[in-house]
Amino acid sequence: MTQLLNAGRLLRRLLLNSEELRTDSRGVWPVIVPEGTELPYVCYRRKNSETVRAVAAGCEVTFDVMIFDADYTHGATLAEAAVAELSEYPRSFDPVHVELARNIRHIEIVDSSEGWAGDSYYQLLTVKFRIA
């Protein structure tokens, strides 16, 4: 259960492993972004979780990853960077991926959408983790 509740920390680590997200956004935060944070930024939240009914299968945790940006094209580019980082998991030559592979078995992007909220465009990725 501890790993389930800390899965967001693992997701954040992967998102910050993307050089583009690390350098071209103002940060990656769980649930809520600090007041006054300038665009662009990334916010994520655990959407749901469920135990996988198999011996030592662990659980699946689903997250919403939201990339907010005043520039639609730039926001879509940041979302593509997130997709690349998550869909290429695990990369055997990447030290962060190797470290996280002890806990994360599989990552799947199960949905995506876009929209406008407040003063920015957003790209929404729904990501499912299988964790041990």
Side-chain angles (χ1 to χ4, degrees), residues 10 14 89-91 94-106 130 132:
L10 304 175
L14 275 172
Y89 178 86
R91 292 189 301 251
D94 187 308
V96 170
H97 284 224
V98 170
E99 177 188 334
L100 294 179
R102 287 179 277 163
N103 298 307
I104 303 171
R105 301 290 181 241
H106 178 73
R130 169 78 58 93

Side-chain angles (χ1 to χ4, degrees), residues 22-76:
R22 193 173 54 252
T23 60
D24 287 354
S25 73
R26 303 287 188 230
V28 176
W29 287 278
V31 185
I32 189 167
V33 176
E35 190 173 330
T37 301
E38 295 180 19
L39 295 167
Y41 53 77
V42 180
C43 188
Y44 63 91
R45 67 183 176 113
R46 187 174 62 245
K47 188 173 183 173
N48 64 21
S49 61
E50 61 185 83
T51 301
V52 176
R53 304 279 184 229
V55 176
C59 60
E60 290 184 338
V61 184
T62 305
F63 290 95
D64 283 335
V65 177
M66 298 154 282
I67 295 100
F68 293 90
D69 201 331
D71 181 291
Y72 175 85
T73 303
H74 187 254

